[in-house]
Amino acid sequence: MALGVVVVGSVALDTLELRGHVHPDVLGGSASFFSVAASLFAPVRLVAVVGEDFPEPHRAYLAERGVDLAGLERAPGRTFRWRGRYSDDLQSRTSLDTQLNVFADFRPQLPAAYRDAELLFLGNIHPALQLEVLDQVRSARLVALDTMNFWIGGELAALKKVLRRVDTVILNDEEARQLSGEHNLPRAARAIHALGPRTIIVKRGDAGALLFYWHDGKQGVFAAPAYPLEEVVDPTGAGDTFAGGFIGSLARSAAFDAGAIRRAMFHGSVLASFCVEGIAHDRLRTVTMTEIEARYAAFCDLTHFETLRL
Ligand code: AMP
């Protein structure tokens, strides 16, 4: 049986500027992408807050995907809002506006049923909130964390406090460099390991993801490519969707051995490859298990090769 996952993170209304088009108030936030991806593999319980303006169809979509919303509070005020503009090649983006709104006063109170979660994902949100949730889940066998430049730059002391209590950190290459002060990624991973986590996943956009680990005195590294798509529509949420596929897959395996972790890296890559095929959640909304299995098989084909015997 799959293990239970609890996630805390942002549930947002995003305004995306992509190739001259503006997409206002689409569903976003680290926890929305994570939850939808992870719930394809395992039961997911969401901890977040939205405002009175949060559209009912977004809530209904998360519920239809099987996400437990008992921990999604509706508070007086406006939902968290983020506005981003992408370069035409989609390789870089600028955050134009971040409005915390209801997240500014959020004090997560986990429903009793959430406290026995086996996997805890501290999604991208203020590190003080990540810590409050961590304190309420006592039974977690694996705690993973994501963050971003906004918090590394502004809340480093609080972030370091959380990192000391986390097994796995999932962040992108620029964030790994900013957090560690090292440009070289293996060195950056080593420096982050010194802050607490023993598994460090560095997401590199269309260059795939690297896994650095220090387990049972052994150090290792593993790589998963990104799927070579002919057309990318919107990269928003790809990182959170990767994390959801990764953690959901581990929860489904109910094991954290090397084989399970490698499969999880590919499940993360599969889900992220679907995410970027549509605006915001558009492609995740329709993806089926059959499509996921077919792309997983395509990944196996893409990366398989024989050991060289001389
Ligand atoms: P990603 O593309 O995986 O980095 O995730 C993008 C999502 O992160 C968007 O849907 C935003 O709503 C959300 N986001 C942006 N800035 C923040 C922030 N400071 N805290 C929490 N979530 C954020």
Side-chain angles (χ1 to χ4, degrees):
M1 212 183 64
L3 304 176
V5 179
V6 160
V7 51
V8 60
S10 54
V11 172
L13 294 175
D14 287 350
T15 295
L16 307 174
E17 297 188 21
L18 285 154
R19 294 174 170 146
H21 292 277
V22 179
H23 304 271
D25 286 350
V26 292
L27 176 61
S30 54
S32 79
F33 290 105
F34 177 95
S35 301
V36 167
S39 65
L40 287 155
F41 300 103
V44 177
R45 294 162 175 162
L46 172 64
V47 182
V49 62
V50 291
E52 291 151 319
D53 56 351
F54 190 67
E56 181 50 34
H58 290 342
R59 200 187 163 91
Y61 157 64
L62 294 172
E64 268 160 33
R65 281 303 186 147
V67 181
D68 185 333
L69 301 178
L72 178 64
E73 191 182 314
R74 184 185 285 269
R78 276 159 64 82
T79 299
F80 175 90
R81 276 180 165 70
W82 176 76
R83 184 178 185 116
R85 179 186 295 148
Y86 285 85
S87 59
D88 283 347
D89 61 6
L90 304 182
Q91 293 294 329
S92 61
R93 77 175 176 208
T94 312
S95 286
L96 300 175
D97 190 26
T98 301
Q99 298 174 16
L100 292 181
N101 295 333
V102 289
F103 263 108
D105 301 314
F106 182 47
R107 295 270 81 83
Q109 278 305 319
L110 268 57
Y114 280 39
R115 293 172 191 253
D116 61 358
E118 283 118 335
L119 282 93
L120 174 60
F121 184 70
L122 305 171
N124 174 30
I125 195 65
H126 196 301
L129 293 183
Q130 293 180 318
L131 206 56
E132 282 189 31
V133 171
L134 183 53
D135 281 338
Q136 294 177 57
V137 175
R138 303 219 171 265
S139 53
R141 287 170 55 189
L142 187 118
V143 180
L145 171 144
D146 188 6
T147 191
M148 74 184 293
N149 50 7
F150 192 81
W151 308 115
I152 301 170
E155 297 291 342
L156 189 57
L159 182 59
K160 284 190 172 168
K161 208 167 153 191
V162 197
L163 281 169
R164 278 202 289 277
R165 296 173 54 191
V166 159
D167 310 291
T168 301
V169 59
I170 306 179
L171 72 191
N172 73 32
D173 41 8
E174 284 316 311
E175 292 154 0
R177 290 181 174 120
Q178 188 185 356
L179 179 59
S180 63
E182 292 278 1
H183 185 80
N184 172 282
L185 292 178
R187 282 173 182 272
R190 181 178 294 283
I192 295 168
H193 171 52
L195 298 174
R198 59 195 196 116
T199 305
I200 293 111
I201 297 174
V202 182
K203 298 168 290 181
R204 305 175 65 211
D206 63 7
L210 286 170
L211 166 85
F212 298 93
Y213 59 88
W214 284 261
H215 293 181
D216 305 325
K218 274 194 289 183
Q219 185 196 340
V221 58
F222 180 67
Y227 193 71
L229 293 169
E230 285 201 22
E231 205 197 345
V232 172
V233 174
D234 172 17
T236 311
D240 308 307
T241 304
F242 175 95
F246 178 83
I247 295 291
S249 175
L250 283 184
R252 165 88 145 253
S253 296
F256 312 134
D257 57 274
I261 290 175
R262 284 167 183 239
R263 275 197 305 280
M265 286 285 284
F266 279 93
H267 277 133
S269 302
V270 166
L271 267 299
S273 76
F274 284 112
C275 174
V276 303
E277 285 183 331
I279 302 287
H281 277 261
D282 285 359
R283 184 66 180 97
L284 292 176
R285 217 176 269 276
T286 61
V287 72
T288 63
M289 222 26 177
T290 310
E291 289 174 314
I292 291 169
E293 281 164 10
R295 193 159 290 174
Y296 188 90
F299 261 103
C300 292
D301 250 12
L302 178 72
T303 54
H304 182 81
F305 59 95
E306 303 297 332
T307 305
L308 182 63
R309 290 184 209 285
L310 292 174

